[in-house]
Amino acid sequence: MNLNPDFIADHNAAGQTQHQRKLSPWTDSVEQAEAVIQKLVDFQIAIPSWALGTGGTRFGRFPGGGEPRSLEEKIADVGLLHALNRASGAISLHIPWDIPTDPQATKQLAASYGLAFDAVNSNTFQDQPGEPGDSQLSYKFGSLQHVDPAVRRQAIDHNIEVIRHGVSLGSKALTVWLSDGSCFPGQLNFRKAFERTLSSLQDIYAALPDDWKVFVEYKAFEPNFYSMTVGDWGSSYLYANKLGPKAYTLVDLGHHLPNANIEQIVAILLNEGKLGGFHFNDSKYGDDDLTAGSIKPYQLFLIFNELIDGMDARQMNHAQDLGWMIDASHNVKDPLEDLLQSVEAIQLAYAQALLVDRAALDEARDANDVVRAQEILQDAFRTDVRPLVAEARLRAGGALNPLALFRQLTVRQQLIGERGAKTVATGL
Ligand code: RM4
Ligand code: MN
Ligand code: MN
């Protein structure tokens, strides 16, 4: 479905007075307000194609209806989000779930919604029906790490194929997440698994166009539970470093062991020039894939605090120089509503982190004034920046309150009407 721009205009007109009342204290007296609003307008967060359907657990799945049945419908869903918040201007595809059969048409369709194609993702964690080559080949015991060179070759060729699809759509990065590892002690020679994985990644790296990046995503556990071959930022950094300047580490917030200090990881990787991309989500236990900012909003703020500090130190462009993406799954919420909430949470954390008084923080640190340093951070975190985020949306042509408008326009009911109540999105 397409969103009639008049609906957004009417919604904004109805909320304008109240919005102005909340915004004017900012524009009247806060010097940075304009700069923060502009940064928010520029900041876009990519939506993964696999987050548009209802997720599930190994115990069950409870789809809500109206899920996108094709790549075109996935693009339409992200188009809807972007029309509402003007901050979701890119879609990230997963191959083979989203193979573009007519790339030119797919590109045009995305452009009609103002969307670009973010990183393309390969999938060697599932056996795919119809994979070229010997049907006996399986990823059950890994892909790029596999002891059988034929399995490794199939996985390498798949990644090269994913790059080819990405090139046809104008993507500029490949994200490789490997489920490779082992479930039991003794199963794997760690040293050899690392070497085989590196050598496979080198073959993929050799096929990267000059203006592309490859992101090596790490994950501490699951689906393998004893060891993961790209299990932490250290091993991802090793691979990225050995591969070369086009290779970077990708941080997915749900891929750490409990209590990991993710903000410190981010700071170190950025300082080394090896942080490439981000997958936002939130978690209580592990890779829960919950709405960004729903469980640990302070952590999200602290991560953004390091991102801004590190990017500014390297004179990086906040909006363009890192890959920003949501990687979430929605078991009990409407996926589109959940994604609107995630984008807003990310924008809020970003805006709050932009407000941190960095000069004062430096001074407090140099004086070992722990109390003052904490006060400075929490002062920014406890500031209600919602009027700034709403103003950025307004200026970019979005809705003052995307979630309220989504509900008021009964978008989900209409999608169910168009697509049916029993549709199932491809993906996990
Ligand atoms: C993984 C990982 C990857 C994503 C898959 C679907 O846990 O987060 O980024 O491609 O899930
Ligand atoms: Mn991820
Ligand atoms: Mn994950």
Side-chain angles (χ1 to χ4, degrees), residues 91-157:
I91 178 167
S92 185
L93 302 189
H94 221 301
I95 308 293
W97 296 335
D98 310 303
I99 293 183
T101 45
D102 181 351
Q104 228 18 59
T106 305
K107 245 177 130 168
Q108 264 171 24
L109 179 69
S112 73
Y113 294 108
L115 304 179
F117 288 92
D118 201 70
V120 276
N121 301 260
S122 57
N123 181 340
T124 60
F125 45 90
Q126 294 169 326
D127 286 339
Q128 303 298 340
E131 190 112 38
D134 189 341
S135 59
Q136 299 302 303
L137 302 180
S138 165
Y139 298 136
K140 179 173 176 183
F141 297 109
S143 58
L144 298 185
Q145 73 165 18
H146 206 284
V147 287
D148 181 351
V151 176
R152 298 205 294 277
R153 190 69 247 168
Q154 176 177 285
I156 293 164
D157 288 345

Side-chain angles (χ1 to χ4, degrees), residues 50 177 217 250 252 255 279 281 325 327:
W50 59 98
W177 172 66
E217 183 172 357
L250 182 143
D252 180 316
H255 288 190
H279 282 180
N281 49 52
M325 200 183 91
D327 187 4

Side-chain angles (χ1 to χ4, degrees), residues 158-174:
H158 165 71
N159 275 278
I160 295 173
E161 178 77 4
V162 174
I163 297 173
R164 210 177 49 77
H165 286 304
V167 167
S168 76
L169 295 171
S171 287
K172 292 281 177 231
L174 166 73

Side-chain angles (χ1 to χ4, degrees), residues 275-312:
L275 180 65
F278 240 85
H279 282 180
F280 292 106
N281 49 52
D282 212 338
S283 65
K284 178 81 178 154
Y285 297 102
D287 194 26
D288 307 355
D289 278 333
L290 301 175
T291 323
S294 62
I295 309 269
K296 291 172 283 197
Y298 192 46
Q299 181 190 58
L300 188 60
F301 160 81
L302 292 173
I303 289 169
F304 265 104
N305 181 49
E306 295 303 332
L307 284 168
I308 291 171
D309 187 68
M311 290 184 89
D312 289 352

